[in-house]
Amino acid sequence: MKTVILALMVLVLVVVSQESKFPYEDVLNDLNLTDNKLVRPARDYKKPTWVYVQMSILAILDVKEIDQTFVSFVVIYMTWEDPHIYWKPQNFDGLDKMTVPTDLLWKPDLMIEEMIEKDKDIPNPFITIHSNGFVENVKNLMVVSSCKMQVYKFPFDTQSCTLSLKSIIYPEEELKFEVYKNSSQATEWTREIMSTESEWLFMGMTVEDRSVPRFHQHQSVVIYTITMKRRSLLYVVNFLVPVLLLFGLDLASFVISDSGGEKLSFEVTLLLAVTVMQLILNDILPCSSDSIPLIAVYCIGIFGLMMISLLETILVMYLIEKDSASKEKKADKKKQGNYDGDVKKWTRCACVCNVSDEPPTELLSVAKEDKRSQLMEESNSLEKHPDELSEAVKGLSRLLSRKEGRKPDYWTRVAKKLDRIFFFVYVTVSALFLVVLFSLWINAEDE
């Protein structure tokens, strides 16, 4: 008898221990979860299923301005009530919640509307169920979404990208999304769990739920707007400062002499360097911007100022060269005048000698004597004409010298005066341009 009682007691202890050790199987059997329950859970099919959703950003991976895409790693938390899931914890050794495979239950067909690439999620094979009928599901996604970039204030810009959560097929009458936490709570949660922000600084997050029309039906949508500010220090050091230094070298080129071609080649080199910086900028900014970015205005303005400086250098060099050519021309004329004077003297001597060396003869006829007298008259007239011609040339030379004597190196002085005036105007206009542009950037950064 004692042996039988002892055996019964051992059996009861084994049964009790088994019930307390493996309550999960009992719950699954009690809920009949061995069969798939993939139908939308609702007590009344005419009423919608409410899904409470909360999204947070774990990391800002990249923002591609040229493609206008926002790459982020997000976590989405969802909870909803399933009337088929309910048990009393006291009947199962106080078991209040448990984790089951996701294939056993229905899940919302959640999608991100702005996603433009294949869903790169980390599969979560389990789902959590509670004794009160609520189900929890967590999804981790790497999202590549479209985002319209506002690059007017680049690199001191602030971007706002939206992620809209909605169902793929369910209308608002069957499935409704509601925000689990408000905007301030969502922002604080995101700041606590965010691991990396790349070159961006997370500013905040706003969230709202609304009903939007989709084709012939309305759908419930939860819209998250992520606001982030660019860390601009790298762009300032690698782009803005080098362009400004090139412009400073262009200002320093005014101390280079205009007489040679060194200044011209130096300014052309600076202009090519700014062109290279513009090509680099073209690979960063999108082509579909609504307005011209301030950084593009900055590069174009610097390029235009340097181009005007180059044209002024060409004009100054032309004026100086004009004076040099005039001096050379005067020297050639003076040398040619000396040569003509010598020729005239030799011609006069030759005429006199030809007349005086003619041998006299008494046997010549009267006609020949008349001819000799005629030649003598012609030689006397030739002696007079070179004197008159030389006097005319001297008078013309005096006239030209009086005309040009008023302005020796005239164009050189004009060029130097023009260069000084242009330098002051150039510095003034450049300073005003840079002050206005940087004030716009500073105001944009404060905003």
Side-chain angles (χ1 to χ4, degrees), residues 138-165:
V138 179
K139 297 178 66 175
N140 294 319
L141 305 172
M142 193 185 80
V143 181
V144 181
S145 59
S146 61
C147 179
K148 188 173 180 60
M149 301 293 172
Q150 303 295 333
V151 294
Y152 173 72
K153 300 172 183 177
F154 178 90
F156 306 102
D157 54 329
T158 300
Q159 302 295 337
S160 296
C161 298
T162 59
L163 297 177
S164 304
L165 310 181

Side-chain angles (χ1 to χ4, degrees), residues 121-306:
D121 62 337
I122 299 175
N124 184 6
F126 297 103
I127 198 170
T128 303
I129 59 176
H130 294 260
S131 60
N132 58 1
F134 279 89
V135 183
E136 293 180 355
N137 185 27
V138 179
K139 297 178 66 175
N140 294 319
L141 305 172
M142 193 185 80
V143 181
V144 181
S145 59
S146 61
C147 179
K148 188 173 180 60
M149 301 293 172
Q150 303 295 333
V151 294
Y152 173 72
K153 300 172 183 177
F154 178 90
F156 306 102
D157 54 329
T158 300
Q159 302 295 337
S160 296
C161 298
T162 59
L163 297 177
S164 304
L165 310 181
K166 72 180 190 68
S167 171
I168 298 177
I169 60 172
Y170 286 108
E172 187 180 21
E173 292 78 13
E174 297 184 20
L175 184 63
K176 278 191 175 183
F177 291 101
E178 187 172 350
V179 179
Y180 187 70
K181 292 185 178 181
N182 57 29
S183 299
S184 59
Q185 292 174 335
T187 300
E188 291 300 324
W189 188 32
T190 299
R191 285 176 177 167
E192 290 175 2
I193 67 175
M194 182 173 289
S195 59
T196 180
E197 301 174 74
S198 185
E199 64 174 294
W200 297 88
L201 179 64
F202 176 74
M203 303 296 293
M205 177 188 296
T206 60
V207 56
E208 60 175 333
D209 50 54
R210 64 174 66 171
S211 176
V212 296
R214 289 292 185 271
F215 300 106
H216 59 281
Q217 62 186 6
H218 283 72
Q219 285 188 310
S220 178
V221 180
V222 176
I223 301 175
Y224 284 87
T225 303
I226 300 96
T227 305
M228 48 196 169
K229 185 178 180 181
R230 189 190 303 274
R231 303 179 192 269
S232 57
L233 181 60
L234 187 64
Y235 293 93
V236 171
V237 173
N238 290 339
F239 192 89
L240 297 181
V241 172
V243 173
L244 192 61
L245 292 177
L246 291 174
F247 183 68
L249 289 175
D250 183 70
L251 289 175
S253 67
F254 279 91
V255 301
I256 301 176
S257 176
D258 294 313
S259 58
E262 294 83 4
K263 182 177 179 180
L264 185 63
S265 60
F266 180 72
E267 291 191 352
V268 170
T269 304
L270 294 178
L271 208 61
L272 292 176
V274 175
T275 304
V276 172
M277 302 299 287
Q278 286 181 315
L279 293 176
I280 296 174
L281 182 64
N282 188 49
D283 295 334
I284 299 176
L285 299 179
C287 300
S288 57
S289 179
D290 295 334
S291 57
I292 300 177
L294 288 177
I295 193 169
V297 176
Y298 172 72
C299 287
I300 294 172
I302 295 294
F303 184 86
L305 290 171
M306 294 174 69

